[in-house]
Amino acid sequence: MNNLTQSDELFERARVVVPGGIYGHVSPAAGLPRHFPHFCDRAQGCGFVDVDGNEWIDFMCGFGAILHGYNHPEIEESVALQREKGSVFNQPSPVMVELAERLVSSIDFADWAVFAKNGSDLTTWAIRVARESTGSPLVIKAKGAYHGVDSWCDPGHGGRIPEDRASILEFEWNDLEALSVIMSQNEGDIAALILTPYHHAAFAPSELPDPGFWAEVEKLCQRYGILLVLDDVRCGGRLHGGGSHRYFGFTPDLAVYSKALGNGYAISACVGKESYRKASMEVFLTGSCWNDAVAMTAALKSLELSEREGVAEKVLAKGKELTEGLERVAEKFEKNLKMTGPPSMPYPWIEGDENLFEIQKFCQFCAEEGIYFHPHHNWFLGNAHDSESIEKAIHVAGRAFERMSEEERTS
Ligand SMILES: Cc1ncc(COP(=O)(O)O)c(C=O)c1O
C-alpha cells in the first residue's frame, strides 16, 4: 500500500477546522476506499503527485475540470500574460467579449452567452430565465440527475424545506411515456425541462438516450411551450466541440457549461437562443469574482485548443482504447465488466456487483499501483492521456482482476 502518512496527518488537521475534513466526492464519508490520497501536491499532464510523493496516473481529471491536461503550457502562458494585467476589476475585461463571441460562433444555436464561476450558478439561473420567459413555475428533471448544490436539485437533505422541491417534477430517464404524461397533466405550468446529454448518475451505470429519445423530447417541449435546458456542465468538451447536443443530434434552448471550460480555472457559461435574450436580462446575475479575466483567458485558450486539435474526438478515441482494453482484461479473469456511457467519460459496472464491493476492490488494487480510478463516479479522459498511460492502466487493471480472482479462489 502507498505511504499516505502526510495525507492522513493533513486530514486529521483538516477535521479540526473544516467540518468533516473534506467535503464532496472525495470525502472519506462518501465511500471512497482507503488507499486513495486525501491531498494533492501538484499535477502535470495526466498525472499528479500526492502530498506523500506518490505518483498517480489520473483518470478523474479533477472530476472533469481538466480536459487538456494539468498545467497545460499554452493555457498557462496565456493565463500568465493576463495575470500580469490583473484578474478581477470593476468592469469586465475585453476577454469577456472575445469569449462570448467564441461560444456564440462555435455553438450552433447560441446567440448570447453569460458567465459565472460554477455549474450550479447557471443551472439555477437558467431555470429562472425559463420561468421569466414562460411565466410558468414548474421544472421537470430526470430522477437521480445532478444539476448542482442548490436546494431545488441537490442530492442531500440537510437544510431543505418542502417548498424547495415543490415546483420540481421528476421522471425516469428514457421514460418518454411518463414525461409526456407529466407535461400534459401540467400543461401551461411548466417552464423548463432540464436534462444532461445522457444520464450519468453516481453509484449506477450510465444510461445513454434510447434511439429517438432526444427527437421526442424536443417535440414534446415544442408542443407544450417548455424550454429545453441542457446541463452540459459535465460532458461539455468531451463529446463534441460544438456542444454535446451535437453528439446526440438535438437543439436545446439554453445550455450550461463549466468543468472543462476553463481547464481547471473556475468559470461557467450559459448560452441561449435570441428569443430568450430579453428574459435573460430580467434575471439578476452577478457574483464576487465572476468577471475573472484570468479564468476567461483560460477558457478562451482552452476552447481554441479544443477546436484546433479536435480534442473531443481525441478523448473519445482515447476512452475507447481504455474501455475496450479494460473489458478485454476483465473477460480474461471472468469478470463481466461493462464500461458504460460514452468512452470519454466511462462509468465502470461489474455485472452482479450490486453492493459495489467488487468495483471498490478493483479500484483499491489499481490505486496500490498508482492508477486513480473512482469506484462510484464516472471517470474522465483528457487529451494528455497517451497510449503509454492507457496501456499502463490496462496492465495494472489486469493484475487487479487477477488478484481478485486469486482472493476468491482462496477465500
Ligand atoms: C451535470 C452537472 N451539472 C451541474 C453541476 C454543478 O456544477 P458545479 O459543481 O460547478 O456547481 C455538476 C457538477 O458536478 C454536474 O456534473
Side-chain angles (χ1 to χ4, degrees):
M1 180 172 150
N2 288 322
N3 173 17
L4 296 172
T5 316
Q6 296 294 327
S7 241
D8 288 346
E9 279 178 20
L10 274 168
F11 185 66
E12 286 313 312
R13 279 171 55 196
R15 284 215 306 194
V16 178
V17 287
V18 178
I22 300 175
Y23 34 86
H25 296 297
V26 286
S27 154
L32 207 59
R34 191 68 186 92
H35 299 84
F36 281 75
H38 297 308
F39 291 90
C40 179
D41 181 53
R42 58 191 184 276
Q44 183 69 44
C46 65
F48 72 91
V49 181
D50 68 30
V51 287
D52 286 282
N54 303 304
E55 293 183 11
W56 297 81
I57 300 178
D58 178 29
F59 288 92
M60 291 309 290
C61 293
F63 281 80
I66 305 297
L67 177 61
H68 302 288
Y70 291 104
N71 206 12
H72 188 279
E74 215 175 310
I75 296 175
E76 297 312 317
E77 201 179 307
S78 312
V79 158
L81 288 174
Q82 179 58 47
R83 201 175 272 134
E84 277 175 20
K85 298 194 210 171
S87 55
V88 175
F89 317 108
N90 300 325
Q91 305 86 353
S93 87
V95 68
M96 181 191 81
V97 185
E98 285 178 62
L99 181 57
E101 284 171 348
R102 176 140 211 135
L103 288 171
V104 164
S105 69
S106 62
I107 299 173
D108 52 5
F109 71 90
D111 294 306
W112 51 263
V114 297
F115 303 101
K117 280 281 161 202
N118 288 292
S120 304
D121 299 333
L122 292 178
T123 51
T124 294
W125 181 79
I127 66 169
R128 291 182 61 203
V129 170
R131 285 175 173 148
E132 175 64 24
S133 171
T134 57
S136 302
L138 304 181
V139 171
I140 309 175
K141 68 183 277 290
K143 247 179 228 160
Y146 183 64
H147 298 295
V149 293
D150 291 327
S151 57
W152 65 270
C153 61
D154 81 313
H157 296 283
R160 211 199 285 154
I161 55 172
E163 287 78 1
D164 289 331
R165 296 287 163 100
S167 55
I168 306 298
L169 306 169
E170 293 192 317
F171 75 111
E172 295 284 351
W173 177 264
N174 270 333
D175 188 348
L176 286 168
E177 183 59 36
L179 180 63
S180 160
V181 168
I182 291 175
M183 287 187 180
S184 70
Q185 284 179 347
N186 296 279
E187 189 164 2
D189 286 330
I190 303 171
L193 167 61
I194 182 165
L195 293 174
T196 53
Y198 72 96
H199 193 49
H200 44 56
F203 297 95
S206 295
E207 287 178 74
L208 293 176
D210 285 342
F213 173 80
W214 278 115
E216 187 59 23
V217 163
E218 277 185 298
K219 225 192 293 167
L220 285 169
C221 284
Q222 274 159 21
R223 185 187 315 151
Y224 291 104
I226 295 167
L227 271 73
L228 179 53
V229 179
L230 176 65
D231 177 351
D232 212 356
V233 168
R234 193 178 306 184
C235 302
R238 283 189 164 83
L239 299 183
H240 194 292
S244 306
H245 61 287
R246 301 268 300 274
Y247 184 78
F248 290 114
F250 67 97
T251 305
D253 296 303
L254 304 172
V256 181
Y257 306 90
S258 187
K259 288 202 180 272
L261 181 60
N263 204 58
Y265 288 85
I267 184 162
S268 55
C270 179
V271 302
K273 289 180 179 169
E274 187 56 41
S275 28
Y276 308 112
R277 183 188 297 265
K278 187 163 174 295
S280 79
M281 290 162 64
E282 299 296 332
V283 184
F284 192 64
L285 181 69
T286 189
S288 296
C289 294
W290 288 11
N291 274 333
D292 178 356
V294 166
M296 289 182 181
T297 301
L300 188 62
K301 184 50 83 176
S302 182
L303 289 169
E304 192 187 306
L305 276 174
S306 283
E307 188 180 317
R308 192 179 79 205
E309 298 188 9
V311 166
E313 293 77 13
K314 282 194 179 156
V315 291
L316 282 162
K318 288 167 199 265
K320 195 160 179 285
E321 197 182 328
L322 176 71
T323 54
E324 288 181 355
L326 293 180
E327 287 179 354
R328 207 172 43 241
V329 291
E331 204 183 331
K332 217 168 122 194
F333 294 99
E334 292 172 6
K335 293 282 173 207
N336 193 356
L337 172 76
K338 292 265 176 299
M339 298 303 293
T340 67
S344 52
M345 304 173 54
Y347 182 97
W349 185 252
I350 298 174
E351 287 301 327
D353 183 30
E354 305 306 329
N355 55 19
L356 307 175
F357 291 165
E358 285 203 81
I359 193 65
Q360 289 183 359
K361 175 71 68 168
F362 169 74
C363 291
Q364 176 198 315
F365 285 164
C366 291
E368 285 176 16
E369 298 198 49
I371 302 295
Y372 197 92
F373 288 147
H374 199 293
H376 310 138
H377 190 288
N378 72 268
W379 308 347
F380 295 92
L381 272 291
N383 205 24
H385 287 115
D386 52 12
S387 286
E388 196 185 328
S389 53
I390 292 170
E391 278 164 23
K392 166 112 196 268
I394 295 168
H395 182 68
V396 166
R399 276 212 294 267
F401 284 124
E402 190 177 7
R403 280 178 71 186
M404 288 164 72
S405 297
E406 265 166 33
E407 272 193 2
E408 279 162 24
R409 252 200 324 269
T410 54
S411 69

